[in-house]
């Protein structure tokens, strides 16, 4: 019975990763992500301005969008 | 031997995680044989890669949500017209989950070439598609000669040249 508890504990630790263990969507499955309602910002121009400000203040880039392409392509 | 509730729950978690593990994507590179497919057209009849042996085939994976596809379709229409009677066929594989989305796209951007449907996504998985759109140029012997991800005009010109050489070499 102790072995079973040990295995159960190992499984519990493994599932602590949650959904991070699942594969991200394949490139051909990104249809729903490309919908306009899936964008973070409703106003594209304002979003671009804000992103530019963040980029210049942080001196770093990236970390937004869907897999490198905002339209869901690739 | 019945398990106590904790162990039962954790065993279920193990099964859930194990069944969600992804299968490795096999990438198809130039020089390898093109994976076979048999996919339905809009009318329902199946189009197989096997039936196109002996022809130069351009397989293009597209979707209604893929913006570059709006540019690539007119270009592919031209290609089909230019080389169609020289033994060249375009097969555009649609990967939309809903047929209505694909129909809406085709109403705006008509296709003068064969369009087949693969909503399950088994064919792009078999071809190891890395981005949308992706195209695979297949020679008359069934081997992939060029793989392109995305669409731009430089690639388009290069593929045109390649097709011209391949249909001449059939």
């Amino acid at each position: 019975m102790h072995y079973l508890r040990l295995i159960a504990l190992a499984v519990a630790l493994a599932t602590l990763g949650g959904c991070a263990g699942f594969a991200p969507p394949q490139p051909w499955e990104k249809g729903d992500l490309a919908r306009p309602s899936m964008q973070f910002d409703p106003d594209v121009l304002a979003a671009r301005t804000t992103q530019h400000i963040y980029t210049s203040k942080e001196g770093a880039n990236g970390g937004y969008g869907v897999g490198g392409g905002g339209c869901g392509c690739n | 031997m019945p398990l106590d509730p904790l162990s039962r729950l954790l065993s279920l978690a193990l099964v859930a995680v194990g069944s969600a593990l992804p299968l490795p994507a096999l990438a198809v590179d130039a020089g390898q044989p093109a994976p076979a497919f048999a996919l339905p057209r809009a009318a329902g009849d199946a189009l197989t890669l096997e039936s196109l042996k002996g022809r130069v085939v351009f397989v293009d994976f597209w979707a209604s949500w893929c913006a570059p596809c709006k540019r690539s379709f007119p270009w592919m229409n031209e290609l089909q017209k230019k080389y169609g009677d020289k033994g060249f066929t375009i097969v555009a594989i649609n990967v939309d989950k809903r047929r209505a989305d694909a129909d809406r796209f085709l109403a705006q951007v008509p296709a003068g070439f064969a369009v087949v449907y693969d909503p399950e996504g088994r064919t792009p998985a078999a071809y190891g598609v890395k981005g949308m759109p992706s195209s695979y140029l297949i020679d008359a012997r069934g081997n992939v000669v060029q793989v392109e991800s995305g669409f731009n005009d430089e690639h388009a010109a290069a593929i045109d040249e390649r097709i011209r050489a391949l249909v001449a070499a059939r």
Side-chain angles (χ1 to χ4, degrees):
Chain A
M1 265 319 278
H2 289 299
Y3 284 120
L4 195 59
R5 280 298 162 108
L6 212 58
I7 292 167
L9 180 64
V11 169
L13 287 172
T15 55
L16 262 181
C19 285
F22 289 80
Q26 298 291 336
W28 58 90
E29 293 170 347
K30 292 196 181 173
D32 285 329
L33 289 168
R35 291 208 315 259
S37 55
M38 294 293 269
Q39 297 294 322
F40 280 118
D41 299 291
D43 185 345
V44 178
L45 279 175
R48 280 188 65 158
T49 313
T50 312
Q51 201 58 54
H52 176 72
I53 294 168
Y54 283 143
T55 304
S56 71
K57 281 182 189 282
E58 287 181 23
N61 204 353
Y64 53 88
V66 176
C71 67
C73 301
N74 191 26
Chain B
M1 178 192 72
L3 295 173
D4 57 66
L6 175 66
S7 301
R8 220 179 294 161
L9 178 65
L10 292 169
S11 311
L12 188 64
L14 176 66
V15 169
V17 170
S19 59
L21 289 173
L23 294 166
L26 315 135
V28 171
D29 285 324
Q32 293 180 328
F37 59 78
L39 296 170
R41 275 190 255 236
D45 54 318
L47 176 61
T48 65
L49 186 59
E50 185 66 36
S51 67
L52 296 169
K53 210 156 240 150
R55 294 178 74 85
V56 176
V57 183
F58 185 77
V59 172
D60 181 78
F61 291 93
W62 69 279
S64 64
W65 45 264
C66 159
C69 296
K70 288 204 176 85
R71 298 258 314 283
S72 69
F73 267 46
W75 170 72
M76 288 198 286
N77 280 332
E78 271 182 42
L79 273 187
Q80 184 67 66
K81 273 196 224 122
K82 226 160 74 167
Y83 301 110
D85 53 356
K86 300 194 178 71
F88 172 72
T89 306
I90 297 180
V91 179
I93 302 181
N94 173 258
V95 298
D96 274 301
K97 294 248 167 15
R98 287 175 290 268
R99 180 71 68 93
D101 295 336
D103 291 339
R104 201 177 339 115
F105 182 96
L106 288 173
Q108 290 173 336
V109 189
F113 41 83
V115 174
V116 293
Y117 299 86
D118 186 6
E120 312 271 301
R122 283 200 206 102
T123 316
Y127 276 75
V129 164
K130 297 271 182 309
M132 290 292 293
S134 269
S135 65
Y136 295 79
L137 183 55
I138 303 166
D139 67 14
R141 275 171 300 283
N143 297 318
V144 174
V145 295
Q146 194 160 333
V147 179
E148 291 289 342
S149 211
F151 176 78
N152 64 48
D153 295 314
E154 290 96 43
H155 289 166
I159 292 181
D160 199 312
E161 273 307 305
R162 207 78 197 265
I163 293 171
R164 185 181 318 198
L166 285 173
V167 292
R170 280 175 74 235

